């Protein structure tokens, strides 16, 4: 049923109207200093149930009760007991963006606590929120006023975008100062524990109450069998339509990576710092200054919503903040927006080495190693990748039982199936390539050398090219290649020709590389050319 949502200002008269709506069991979106909240009478289970319906929120995710005075906690019997630690936190940080979880009082309906024995309470500092709570005379249950799963709203317009026609009213109090939701801490555990980071940091809390833990789910993905201490942590969150990927690495590596992705795919955007904007060739959304994490928090959700307004963007690379101080709150939101997809860019100069089979790529790799480069072989990484349990499971799911009696992978069998059709080969690659690249990046990070060669026949097919600041390809004449393959792999001429026929042609490699090494002459000539190309790398 669609209703007419009232668009209210924060005038005294409008606040009075909104308070009356709440007393009648209706829903009002209100500004708070963190994000907009979707409020209902916290003591009325029916009113609260409507919040879940409007947001499409799972019923097992409890709500925060908002109050206007610390004294309300005991006056209204919201908790079973108001522990000393909670009192200290309240006095230090309220009014403000901290939510404290305590054992709940009997007046709290099950809808608010989602059946838990605890309740979350917060005293916001936003003047409009406090006026509304006072004027209504009620404690207000309020989650963020977004559709469940979308970024939290930080302006009245965001609320209207999600909730228009589903709630009675929204009060426009301008843009929220903080921009990320409150820090949630429970004191119902032996040692107080942060369940959601916000701009009130762990360090600030520790200065008031001493010992404080950070829940594992704040920075890590929970395994399927792990219970979330805070139910909200288990849901995909803050996600725009485009795929978000968190990228860890220096400014320089991040910029280079995004630019190469854009050049190759043309459908990417970057979520980055103002300092980087002019250097990125893809559409950018700024998170604010690199050195101002509070500004980044304020901009974060608006930025995530803005992603969907850029036409044609399918992947957004977000430059990963460090996870300390306020950064922990940013990291926690971004990693959920990214559904825990993270790319670690090694602080190395990665050079791609590819080319046609039989052209002499391995010889070139050996010579580069002698010249001082680290070598990361895709073939070695591939052998490791296919022995990982989840990769093996995916291969069995796709191709049937492809394991040996000792549970190792029957590689000959996989190869036979994969090369029997183009579709099977695609399936194999889609399972193995991402893992191979991940392993190669990890090995690159572990290399002692500053220059690391990605020795990869399928550099381009595996999309490993975007990690390479330069690409070298080795080519040689058809007859020479044929001869080498026959000798190297013990094949008859026809088999070798068949292998060569599925390869990309010379043009493909020439178009995609910075240097070509032709290997048609002597070993000495090859070594001289490799040296020349290697020397060119240090010229940047
Ligand atoms: O800044 C904020 O906290 C905003 C504004 C509107 O106040 N509110 C907000 O509410 O972010 P919501 O519902 O979007 O997030 C509340 C989080 C959820 O992750 C929920 O699972 C957790 O707090 N939570 C609430 N009650 C809890 C409880 N009793 N035990 C554990 N976690 C709880
Ligand atoms: Mg929320």
């Amino acid at each position: 049923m669609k209703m007419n949502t009232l668009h209210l200002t924060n005038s005294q008269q409008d606040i009075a109207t909104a308070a009356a709506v709440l007393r009648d069991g209706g829903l009002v979106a209100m500004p708070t200093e963190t994000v907009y909240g979707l409020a209902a009478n916290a003591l009325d289970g029916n009113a609260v149930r409507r919040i879940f319906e409007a947001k499409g929120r799972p019923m097992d995710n409890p709500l925060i009760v908002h109050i206007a005075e610390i004294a309300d906690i005991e006056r209204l019997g919201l908790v079973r007991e108001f522990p000393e630690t909670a009192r200290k936190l309240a006095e230090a940080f309220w009014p403000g963006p901290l939510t404290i979880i305590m054992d709940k009082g009997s007046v709290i309906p099950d809808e608010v606590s989602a059946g838990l024995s605890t309740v979350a309470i917060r005293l916001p500092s936003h003047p409009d929120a406090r006026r509304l709570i006072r004027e209504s005379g009620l404690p207000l249950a309020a989650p963020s006023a977004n559709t469940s799963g979308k970024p939290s709203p930080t302006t009245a317009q965001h609320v209207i975008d999600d909730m228009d026609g589903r709630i009675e009213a929204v009060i426009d109090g301008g843009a929220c100062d903080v921009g990320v939701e409150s820090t949630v801490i429970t004191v119902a555990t032996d040692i107080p524990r942060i369940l959601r980071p916000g701009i009130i940091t762990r360090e600030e809390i520790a200065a008031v109450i001493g010992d404080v833990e950070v829940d594992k789910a704040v920075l890590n993905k929970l395994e399927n069998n792990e219970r979330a201490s805070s139910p909200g942590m288990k849901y995909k969150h803050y996600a725009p339509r485009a795929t978000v990927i968190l990228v860890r690495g220096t400014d320089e590596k991040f910029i280079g990576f995004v630019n190469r992705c854009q050049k190759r795919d043309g459908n990417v955007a970057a979520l980055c710092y103002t300092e980087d904007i002019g250097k990125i060739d893809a559409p950018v959304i700024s998170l604010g200054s690199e050195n101002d994490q509070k500004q980044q928090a304020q901009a974060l959700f608006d930025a995530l919503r803005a992603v969907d307004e850029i036409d044609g963007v399918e992947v957004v690379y977000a430059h990963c903040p460090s996870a300390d101080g306020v950064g922990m709150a940013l990291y926690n939101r971004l990693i959920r927006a990214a559904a825990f997809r993270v790319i670690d860019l090694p602080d190395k100069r990665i050079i791609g080495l590819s080319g046609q089979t039989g052209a002499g790529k391995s010889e070139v790799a050996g010579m580069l190693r002698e010249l001082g480069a680290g070598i990361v072989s895709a073939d070695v990484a591939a052998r490791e990748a296919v022995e990982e349990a989840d990769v093996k499971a995916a291969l069995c799911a796709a191709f049937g039982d492809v394991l040996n009696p000792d549970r190792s992978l029957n590689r000959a069998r996989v190869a036979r199936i994969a090369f029997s059709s183009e579709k099977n080969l695609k399936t194999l690659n889609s399972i193995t390539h991402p893992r191979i690249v991940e392993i190669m990046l990890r090995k690159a990070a572990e290399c002692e050398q500053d220059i690391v060669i990605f020795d990869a026949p399928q550099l381009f097919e595996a999309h490993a090219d975007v990690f390479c600041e330069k690409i070298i390809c080795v080519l040689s004449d058809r007859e020479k290649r044929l001869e080498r393959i026959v000798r190297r792999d013990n094949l008859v001429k026809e088999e070798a020709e068949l292998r060569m026929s599925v390869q990309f042609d010379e043009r493909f490699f020439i178009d995609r590389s910075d240097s070509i090494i032709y290997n048609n002459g002597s070993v000495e000539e090859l070594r001289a050319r490799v040296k020349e190309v290697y020397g060119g790398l240090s010229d940047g």
Side-chain angles (χ1 to χ4, degrees):
M1 182 190 60
K2 182 138 170 116
M3 62 180 91
N4 287 323
T5 298
L6 292 170
H7 296 193
L8 302 174
T9 68
N10 56 6
S11 70
Q12 192 45 45
Q13 197 186 345
D14 278 4
I15 297 278
T17 304
V21 167
L22 290 168
R23 280 192 301 268
D24 275 352
L27 305 184
V28 176
M30 63 174 178
T32 84
E33 71 278 24
T34 55
V35 301
Y36 274 73
L38 182 52
N41 177 0
L43 304 179
D44 176 353
N46 289 329
V48 170
R49 205 168 308 126
R50 288 195 45 220
I51 294 179
F52 288 87
E53 286 162 15
K55 280 178 62 85
R57 179 174 173 115
M59 288 298 291
D60 67 351
N61 194 1
L63 307 181
I64 298 171
V65 176
H66 296 67
I67 55 174
E69 314 294 336
I70 295 183
D72 289 347
I73 294 182
E74 283 167 309
R75 187 174 64 82
L76 298 170
L78 300 180
V79 298
R80 201 161 56 82
E81 180 204 354
F82 191 15
E84 194 46 37
T85 316
R87 206 179 289 274
K88 277 192 194 158
L89 288 169
E91 276 159 15
F93 298 110
W94 283 354
L98 180 74
T99 295
I100 307 173
I101 294 175
M102 296 173 260
D103 288 330
K104 76 168 189 168
S106 54
V107 295
I108 301 291
D110 278 344
E111 286 83 356
V112 169
S113 55
L116 299 177
S117 60
T118 51
V119 63
I121 300 184
R122 153 161 142 79
L123 199 165
S125 65
H126 197 292
D128 298 347
R130 293 187 76 188
R131 277 161 68 210
L132 183 63
I133 300 166
R134 283 209 188 97
E135 181 77 30
S136 67
L138 300 167
L140 298 180
S144 50
N146 51 293
T147 301
S148 212
K150 290 238 283 176
S152 293
T154 54
T155 65
Q157 187 58 49
H158 293 160
V159 176
I160 291 163
D161 291 345
D162 282 14
M163 291 295 156
D164 203 21
R166 297 194 199 186
I167 62 177
E168 275 80 4
V170 50
I171 297 170
D172 190 341
C176 302
D177 283 343
V178 174
V180 292
E181 307 90 338
S182 60
T183 304
V184 176
I185 184 167
T186 178
V187 298
T189 45
D190 288 342
I191 297 173
R193 183 185 303 164
I194 293 174
L195 302 183
R196 182 177 72 185
I199 64 151
I200 293 180
T201 61
R202 173 199 189 144
E203 293 78 6
E204 288 170 316
I205 289 173
V208 174
I209 59 166
D211 245 7
V212 55
E213 293 175 346
V214 175
D215 197 73
K216 182 183 169 214
V218 165
L219 301 176
N220 304 287
K221 186 175 182 173
L222 289 178
E223 304 299 333
N224 287 336
N225 56 5
E226 284 179 295
R227 214 183 117 261
S229 327
S230 173
M233 289 288 190
K234 70 185 177 203
Y235 297 107
K236 183 173 172 193
H237 241 111
Y238 316 116
R241 274 191 301 276
T243 303
V244 179
I245 299 177
L246 210 51
V247 181
R248 257 190 227 122
T250 63
D251 291 353
E252 184 203 345
K253 301 292 175 202
F254 176 77
I255 293 164
F257 170 75
V258 170
N259 287 347
R260 288 188 295 270
C261 289
Q262 175 67 355
K263 189 168 168 209
R264 190 191 64 194
D265 302 329
N267 61 0
V268 315
L271 212 60
C272 64
Y273 308 114
T274 27
E275 288 83 352
D276 297 337
I277 286 177
K279 303 170 199 153
I280 293 179
D281 303 333
V284 290
I285 300 153
S286 170
L287 277 176
S289 170
E290 179 144 30
N291 307 312
D292 187 347
Q293 290 189 314
K294 288 202 170 161
Q295 189 182 35
Q296 292 167 33
Q298 214 270 331
L300 180 67
F301 289 133
D302 195 40
L304 285 173
R305 282 178 180 256
V307 164
D308 284 334
E309 283 157 27
I310 310 176
D311 277 346
V313 170
E314 272 161 45
V315 184
V316 182
Y317 294 108
H319 200 173
C320 189
S322 73
D324 43 54
V326 174
M328 188 187 280
L330 293 162
Y331 182 86
N332 169 271
R333 305 311 190 274
L334 280 169
I335 191 102
R336 281 171 173 73
F340 292 91
R341 282 177 291 255
V342 180
I343 292 175
D344 275 296
L345 298 177
D347 196 9
K348 301 281 173 188
R349 298 191 56 200
I350 297 178
I351 310 296
L353 178 66
S354 194
Q356 295 162 311
T357 181
K361 202 173 50 60
S362 312
E363 285 78 357
V364 171
M367 290 172 181
L368 287 166
R369 187 198 306 273
E370 281 166 24
L371 289 167
I375 308 287
V376 172
S377 154
D379 292 343
V380 173
R383 280 197 286 277
E384 284 178 30
V386 296
E387 290 306 336
E388 288 185 7
D390 55 335
V391 174
K392 270 199 284 201
L395 291 172
C396 288
F399 301 135
D401 185 5
V402 284
L403 300 185
N404 292 312
D406 70 353
R407 315 293 299 160
S408 64
L409 192 75
N410 186 334
R411 288 168 52 201
R413 176 136 192 213
V414 171
R416 207 160 45 242
I417 299 174
F419 288 101
S420 68
S421 81
E422 211 167 299
K423 181 166 159 269
N424 286 352
L425 187 58
K426 254 203 178 136
T427 306
L428 173 69
N429 288 344
S430 70
I431 294 170
T432 56
H433 279 168
R435 188 59 57 88
I436 293 171
V437 175
E438 222 179 281
I439 293 173
M440 291 177 77
L441 288 170
R442 205 171 56 226
K443 286 180 185 281
E446 288 162 5
C447 273
E448 285 165 19
Q449 297 88 339
D450 179 45
I451 295 185
V452 178
I453 308 291
F454 270 11
D455 173 2
Q458 303 206 55
L459 187 77
F460 303 102
E461 296 94 316
H463 289 184
D465 52 339
V466 285
F467 298 100
C468 304
E469 62 178 74
K470 291 252 166 81
I471 291 175
I472 302 168
C473 284
V474 188
L475 301 175
S476 101
D477 293 343
R478 193 186 143 75
E479 285 312 307
K480 301 243 172 214
R481 280 187 282 131
L482 188 60
E483 200 185 296
R484 286 197 200 101
I485 297 171
V486 167
R487 196 161 8 99
R488 182 188 68 192
D489 299 341
N490 247 328
L491 298 178
V492 296
K493 201 171 153 219
E494 287 70 30
E495 283 176 306
E497 277 176 332
L498 191 68
R499 280 203 195 170
M500 285 169 61
S501 70
V502 299
Q503 291 248 300
F504 293 118
D505 60 13
E506 276 202 14
R507 194 70 251 163
F508 177 90
F509 291 103
I510 293 170
D511 287 346
R512 287 166 180 74
S513 55
D514 302 277
S515 308
I516 299 285
I517 294 176
Y518 287 102
N519 178 24
N520 290 317
S522 67
V523 175
E524 287 67 41
E525 282 171 296
L526 182 63
R527 185 167 285 121
R529 174 66 183 140
V530 169
K531 203 169 168 188
E532 181 183 27
V533 168
Y534 188 73
L537 294 177
S538 20
D539 306 337

